[in-house]
Amino acid sequence: YFDYEQALACAKEQGKPIFVDFTGHGCVNCREMEARVWSDPKVLSRLKNDYVMLALYVDEKTELPENEWYTSEYDGKVKKSIGKQNADFQITRFNNNAQPYYVLLDTNGELLVEPIAYERSISKFVDFLDEGKEKFEFRPLIGKKPRAFKEIYNGGKKEKNADIFLNGSIHIIVGILSVVFTLLLLNK
């Protein structure tokens, strides 16, 4: 994808995180990353299977319709082109203006892991992708509040069961065990 909103919609539909590639047509280091790192089978399979890919070109000169222009809160300038808006998004959201710059987001546009830039180590890039995928898979467990009471019916009368937190606790315990087993397998 080349449009953030389209990639976000696709990610929600497919239940996958988003790999954001802040890049440029004239970015030599971007092409080197694609040729030397992305082309590695371990990286390529993760990018193809685990993520919705989004390339945001910061030097794209295509001018947008006037109703899509806006004034940047960062520099006070009107952003009229796709590239200017992509660069403004990178600067204002991630406090960075270098390319390549790689960001992993969940389906709500929230950051999964610390972004990385030019990184020619295939193993470090694989670790980055794997960490993002793992955080994405376990994010539903974070911030969930278990139900305080399990409602049961007793002779047609709704009552509160004394098994406080029972329903939520089981899910939390299963989630914790999944994380522990995953970490044990990764450390072998």
Side-chain angles (χ1 to χ4, degrees):
Y1 288 88
F2 300 100
D3 177 90
Y4 176 75
E5 294 300 327
Q6 289 176 355
L8 198 58
C10 178
K12 286 179 183 180
E13 183 179 309
Q14 292 186 16
K16 291 182 178 181
I18 304 169
F19 176 89
V20 184
D21 171 23
F22 286 100
T23 188
H25 296 292
C27 176
V28 175
N29 286 340
C30 300
R31 300 302 82 79
E32 185 175 352
M33 285 294 294
E34 292 162 8
R36 294 178 187 246
V37 178
W38 291 22
S39 63
D40 182 273
K42 293 180 290 254
V43 174
L44 189 59
S45 70
R46 284 164 172 82
L47 290 174
K48 286 172 116 177
N49 300 317
D50 300 337
Y51 288 92
V52 169
M53 301 279 296
L54 171 63
L56 296 178
Y57 284 83
V58 300
D59 58 356
E60 175 58 47
K61 300 195 183 316
T62 302
E63 190 169 304
L64 294 162
E66 193 170 345
N67 65 340
E68 293 182 30
W69 297 359
Y70 67 87
T71 302
S72 171
E73 292 180 16
Y74 174 74
D75 63 9
K77 295 181 180 177
V78 177
K79 304 302 176 187
K80 299 178 182 182
S81 71
I82 291 173
K84 296 288 186 193
Q85 289 189 6
N86 288 341
D88 188 62
F89 177 58
Q90 182 182 0
I91 293 167
T92 57
R93 178 83 192 277
F94 304 107
N95 199 32
N96 183 285
N97 190 27
Q99 293 79 45
Y101 194 64
Y102 306 111
V103 179
L104 304 179
L105 302 174
D106 70 11
T107 53
N108 295 315
E110 298 298 321
L111 200 61
L112 290 168
V113 295
E114 191 67 30
I116 63 171
Y118 182 74
E119 177 55 69
R120 287 183 47 195
S121 167
I122 291 169
S123 64
K124 286 182 182 177
F125 206 83
V126 165
D127 289 346
F128 168 69
L129 295 172
D130 287 348
E131 183 183 0
K133 181 182 177 191
E134 182 179 316
K135 294 269 173 93
F136 178 78
E137 289 171 346
F138 291 111
R139 72 182 161 66
L141 299 174
I142 299 168
K144 294 280 185 184
K145 294 181 182 175
R147 290 175 51 189
F149 297 98
K150 181 182 177 191
E151 293 181 351
I152 61 169
Y153 288 88
N154 184 9
K157 180 177 154 189
K158 193 186 270 190
E159 293 185 291
K160 298 288 183 183
N161 190 339
D163 295 328
I164 298 174
F165 301 113
L166 175 66
N167 190 34
S169 296
I170 291 170
H171 293 291
I172 291 171
I173 291 168
V174 169
I176 291 170
L177 289 174
S178 296
V179 171
V180 169
F181 288 126
T182 301
L183 292 173
L184 288 173
L185 290 173
L186 291 174
N187 288 328
K188 285 189 176 187

